[in-house]
Amino acid sequence: RGYKDVSLHQKPRYAIVRRVPNTFSQCITMEKLSKGIDLRLARQQHSEYIRVLKELVDEVIELPMDDAYPDCPFVEDTAVVSGSTALVTRPGAASRRGEVEVVRETLKFLGLKVFEVCSPGLLDGGDVLHVDGMLLVGKSRRTNDEGVQALASAFPEMQVVPVEVSEGLHLKSVLSFVGQHTLVVEETHNAQEMVRIIQQACMLESIMVSIPGAANVLRVGNTIVYPSFYGRDWESQYMLFAEKVIPVDISEFHKGDGGLTCLSIIIP
Ligand code: CIR
C-alpha cells in the first residue's frame, strides 16, 4: 500500500457532538438489555470521546442535551455533511425526529448550505458512509427509497450507491471506512453480502473483523479511532491505514446500538 489519500490527511474544522441526557438509559434498543445502561459511565466515556476528538479537529461543538430525546447523543443520524453542503435528515424513528432542530440551526450558523429530507423520506446518518467521493447508503429499517433520493439530490456531484441492509440497524453498524479505498467489515454473512453489492458498484477492498459491532471505526484526518471494548486484536491491522490509531471505550453507547461514528458529525 504505497499511497496515501491526501484529502484524508486534512484536519477537519469541526465535530458536532451532543451531550448525554438524563434519560439516556431509555434510548431505543433493538433487543432488551440484559444489563442496563450506566449513565455516569456513559458520560465519562462521552467526555473521553470528546477529548480524543479535540486532538483531531480544530473545534468540537458540544450541543446541549435534551431529556425529551434519549437518543440525542447519536447525533450522526441527524445530518450528512460533505464539503460545504449539509443534508438534515428525517430520522427513521419517529421519537427522534425533533433531534434535528438544534443541529439544523448549528449547521446554518456554521455557514453550510443546508438541505432537508422531506416526508415521506426517511434517512438516518448511520446509513451513509462517505468513501472516496462516493456515498454508500443503506436501505434499512430507518432509511427508505425517498431518503436515498434526497441524498442523491443534495449531493448531485457524488455517486450514490444504495445497499440493502437486511439485518441490524444501519449500514455503518456492520462496516466502515479505514482509508486507502478499504472498508472494515463484520465477518457475518449479511455484512459480506453488503460488501459484494458495494464491490459491484465500485472498486473498494475490505478487511474483516470477527466480532459483531467491532467494524464501526471513526476515520478522522490521519487517525482511526476504534472501539477498544472489543479488544485490541485489530489495532495492528488499522495501523496499515492511518498514521495514528486510538482506542476508545464506548460500551454504554453500544448497549444503545450505537458505535463510534454515531456520536459525532464531522465537518471538513
Ligand atoms: C437508535 O436506535 O436510533 C439509537 N439507539 C442508536 C442509533 C445509532 N446510530 C448510528 O448508528 N448512527
Side-chain angles (χ1 to χ4, degrees):
R1 298 183 188 276
Y3 56 86
K4 299 259 181 202
D5 275 313
V6 177
S7 61
L8 282 176
H9 290 262
Q10 283 164 359
K11 196 177 188 186
R13 285 185 301 155
Y14 303 105
I16 297 177
V17 299
R18 190 149 186 197
R19 293 209 175 102
V20 181
N22 299 307
T23 52
F24 181 56
S25 60
Q26 292 152 39
C27 71
I28 309 169
T29 53
M30 288 201 297
E31 280 164 31
K32 202 170 173 317
L33 294 178
S34 53
K35 194 161 178 273
I37 290 173
D38 179 335
L39 179 63
R40 244 189 67 188
L41 181 56
R43 285 189 168 140
Q44 264 173 31
Q45 292 175 342
H46 200 248
S47 300
E48 175 60 11
Y49 180 84
I50 291 170
R51 195 192 60 73
V52 168
L53 274 185
K54 281 182 175 165
E55 293 173 23
L56 305 179
V57 303
D58 290 338
E59 188 182 340
V60 177
I61 298 172
E62 296 181 46
L63 299 181
M65 64 170 130
D66 186 337
D67 286 343
Y69 298 108
D71 286 288
C72 70
F74 300 115
V75 70
E76 165 183 70
D77 292 318
T78 60
V80 177
V81 178
S82 176
S84 54
T85 301
L87 175 65
V88 172
T89 67
R90 188 163 174 269
S95 67
R96 299 197 57 190
R97 303 247 161 96
E99 288 177 31
V100 302
E101 303 299 332
V102 62
V103 175
R104 180 194 297 114
E105 292 320 304
T106 306
L107 294 169
K108 284 187 179 162
F109 178 78
L110 294 177
L112 293 164
K113 189 154 92 185
V114 177
F115 294 97
E116 310 265 344
V117 178
C118 299
S119 174
L122 297 173
L123 181 72
D124 272 13
D127 275 318
V128 182
L129 181 60
H130 193 169
V131 183
D132 293 348
M134 282 175 301
L135 294 171
L136 311 181
V137 54
K139 292 204 291 174
S140 68
R141 60 183 79 201
R142 296 284 176 85
T143 296
N144 63 11
D145 287 327
E146 291 86 348
V148 172
Q149 193 45 53
L151 185 72
S153 306
F155 301 99
E157 70 288 0
M158 297 180 90
Q159 184 188 353
V160 171
V161 180
V163 185
E164 208 70 50
V165 179
S166 50
E167 265 173 34
L169 187 58
H170 290 132
L171 176 87
K172 282 191 281 192
S173 310
V174 296
L175 60 87
S176 60
F177 183 54
V178 287
Q180 298 181 32
H181 317 292
T182 306
L183 303 173
V184 52
V185 186
E186 255 182 41
E187 222 170 44
T188 55
H189 172 77
N190 170 55
Q192 295 303 317
E193 181 55 24
M194 286 161 61
V195 171
R196 205 182 56 76
I197 293 167
I198 291 167
Q199 286 174 334
Q200 281 172 358
C202 54
M203 304 262 288
L204 288 173
E205 294 184 42
S206 62
I207 57 173
M208 277 194 259
V209 294
S210 54
I211 300 182
N216 184 277
V217 306
L218 177 63
R219 167 108 206 187
V220 187
N222 61 11
T223 302
I224 291 173
V225 186
Y226 75 94
S228 60
F229 178 61
Y230 298 107
R232 297 192 169 193
D233 302 17
W234 298 287
E235 183 167 299
S236 55
Q237 194 164 219
Y238 296 147
M239 272 152 53
L240 299 173
F241 295 92
E243 280 162 25
K244 213 167 153 196
V245 176
I246 305 178
V248 170
D249 186 359
I250 50 161
S251 63
E252 301 317 289
F253 299 91
H254 284 291
K255 289 180 185 171
D257 299 330
L260 283 165
T261 63
C262 314
L263 298 176
S264 56
I265 301 169
I266 306 292
I267 301 181

